[in-house]
Amino acid sequence: HPTLGHGDSNEFLDHIFQAIRDPQPIVRACATDALSQCLKILVDRQHPSMTGLLCQVYSNVMNGLQEDTSKKRPWREMSAAEASQHGSLLAVASMLEYTRDFMLPRFEEVCKAALKMTTHSKALIRLEVVRLLPRLARRCPQVFGRRYLEDSLDFLMNSASTPTGPRVGVDLQPFAYSSLGQLILAMVDEETGQV
């Protein structure tokens, strides 16, 4: 089927990533939902081009996460880079949920990229990091616990204890409390019941 990919390209993925980087957050969220369903179908049906397609998605995600927003740039360029980062964080959550073990060899790279955004100036991006951390912990609790738990807890505790001003538009506190609970549950050993 031509839209399911030939080699390294896929028409749906080419277009969905334009929407995942859209200036409007609601469009990015809806596009990520569509990507989630596509990933679920590809993995469930074990499509022959699945590995190549997942690599294409992952490459797009990492390109978005690595957008440089540290330099002074025109507002439109900065806004596009931030939209790309936000959309990529949303897509990471979908990949963790729907791609089975595909993310395991890429786990640490994703954790490092996500944790770099804990100091991002945009609350919406920090919100997605807050929501993503327990998902990362659930995916690979041992590695997460050894390498990323301390920094994640510091970020979540700080987010939970710092009120967000009315001008920010996104209140991280309730999400941070929820993520703290989810993170603790993700780190509990199912056999012993200990964290």
Side-chain angles (χ1 to χ4, degrees), residues 1-59:
H1 193 278
T3 60
L4 286 177
H6 290 292
D8 296 321
S9 184
N10 178 281
E11 190 176 330
F12 173 79
L13 295 179
D14 292 341
H15 292 293
I16 200 66
F17 271 94
Q18 292 174 8
I20 287 172
R21 294 185 173 104
D22 191 86
Q24 296 299 316
I26 188 71
V27 174
R28 295 192 292 266
C30 291
T32 305
D33 287 345
L35 175 65
S36 295
Q37 293 309 307
C38 178
L39 292 174
K40 185 177 184 325
I41 290 167
L42 285 172
V43 172
D44 285 350
R45 294 183 182 172
Q46 297 188 356
H47 189 275
S49 302
M50 182 177 68
T51 302
L53 294 172
L54 293 179
C55 286
Q56 182 183 355
V57 172
Y58 183 75
S59 176

Side-chain angles (χ1 to χ4, degrees), residues 113-153:
L115 284 168
K116 280 184 181 178
M117 295 192 184
T118 59
T119 58
H120 201 285
S121 62
K122 293 290 182 188
L124 186 61
I125 291 174
R126 292 193 315 275
L127 171 64
E128 288 312 319
V129 175
V130 163
R131 295 164 82 182
L132 184 61
L133 290 175
R135 293 172 177 169
L136 288 166
R138 271 194 307 272
R139 191 65 192 98
C140 198
Q142 295 81 13
V143 173
F144 191 89
R146 277 194 314 273
R147 300 203 175 138
Y148 307 106
L149 182 60
E150 188 175 335
D151 289 340
S152 297
L153 284 173

